[in-house]
Amino acid sequence: IVLIIIGLVILFVKKIKIKQVKSTIGASEAQVKVVRALGLKKIRDEKVHEANDQIKGMINKVCHLVKVEEVK
């Protein structure tokens, strides 16, 4: 968890680790683009992202291709 101080407001930014566990062969073109936009290129690639609404929506589109863990 990373603390970001903006004025008097403290925001807690959660991090999540996304790992590609299945191939994009046979996936739709849109799903392939989402996996690439998450920074994943091949099976067993891992990336850490902030857990914001955009990333969560992308994960929801390709949930059958990736595994998600919270980073502590």
Side-chain angles (χ1 to χ4, degrees):
I1 297 177
V2 177
L3 293 177
I4 299 176
I5 301 174
I6 301 174
L8 299 175
V9 179
I10 299 177
L11 303 173
F12 292 95
V13 180
K14 290 186 179 179
K15 298 279 188 173
I16 51 176
K17 180 168 64 172
I18 305 167
K19 180 177 183 177
Q20 184 175 349
V21 293
K22 290 192 176 183
S23 173
T24 56
I25 295 174
S28 70
E29 185 179 343
Q31 290 171 339
V32 173
K33 288 180 179 180
V34 169
V35 170
R36 296 293 181 262
L38 287 169
L40 305 171
K41 296 181 181 176
K42 54 187 175 183
I43 297 175
R44 291 186 297 275
D45 270 359
E46 295 181 353
K47 292 290 179 176
V48 176
H49 290 282
E50 293 180 4
N52 59 34
D53 291 338
Q54 292 85 5
I55 297 296
K56 290 177 184 177
M58 293 170 78
I59 291 168
N60 192 37
K61 292 281 187 184
V62 294
C63 61
H64 59 290
L65 301 175
V66 299
K67 179 180 169 188
V68 181
E69 297 176 0
E70 186 175 335
V71 176
K72 296 183 180 182

